[in-house]
Amino acid sequence: MGLWRYSVLWYLGGMAYTGMELLWRGWSHSSMFAAGGTCFLLIGHLGELEMPLAWRSLAGAGIVTTVELAAGLLVNRNYQVWNYSAMPGNFLGQICLPFTLLWVPVSLGATWAYDFLRRRLFGLPRQSYRWLSWR
């Protein structure tokens, strides 16, 4: 896919992530738009590896958690955007286990949304889906 297509998908992923935050807590931050778009592209690329959906969802949760940590260390140093320090299993107040677990089903939805959008917008072929098996 070309730069234009990636840009469109990045933008739509950023909008979706920001929209989820607005629904969840009533506000968002511009850095979350960039993080959401980046996560959407990375999760979408897992489809090129033909991983089973269960593994893709787990890997997607790892991607979101990693991007969230990076964004947190860059722009959330004073905990003005979010603060997970009171959550169980947190790391530096930037990421936590409960939200990592929440990213599993969100990643599954992102996987399907990415495939749907690339097919509808750009006429690309459907990705293959398997729940557990590699073949």
Side-chain angles (χ1 to χ4, degrees), residues 43 53-62 64-65 97-111 131:
I43 290 168
L53 283 173
W55 287 106
R56 283 165 74 172
S57 297
L58 290 171
V64 176
T65 301
L97 183 58
F99 275 88
T100 297
L101 297 175
L102 177 66
W103 300 136
V104 174
V106 170
S107 294
L108 179 61
T111 296
W131 280 103

Side-chain angles (χ1 to χ4, degrees), residues 80-135:
Q80 295 174 334
V81 183
W82 71 88
N83 185 352
Y84 295 150
S85 60
M87 299 290 286
N90 82 82
F91 179 72
L92 301 176
Q94 302 295 341
I95 57 173
C96 66
L97 183 58
F99 275 88
T100 297
L101 297 175
L102 177 66
W103 300 136
V104 174
V106 170
S107 294
L108 179 61
T111 296
W112 287 331
Y114 185 89
D115 187 34
F116 174 81
L117 289 169
R118 62 189 286 281
R119 285 185 290 124
R120 290 294 182 154
L121 296 176
F122 310 122
L124 297 171
R126 184 177 189 270
Q127 295 178 344
S128 64
Y129 298 112
R130 292 182 185 86
W131 280 103
L132 296 172
S133 68
W134 288 92
R135 277 234 171 240

Side-chain angles (χ1 to χ4, degrees), residues 32 34-36 38-39 42 62-72 82 95:
M32 294 298 90
T38 301
C39 290
L42 293 172
I63 287 169
V64 176
T65 301
T66 302
V67 170
E68 188 174 37
L69 176 61
W82 71 88
I95 57 173

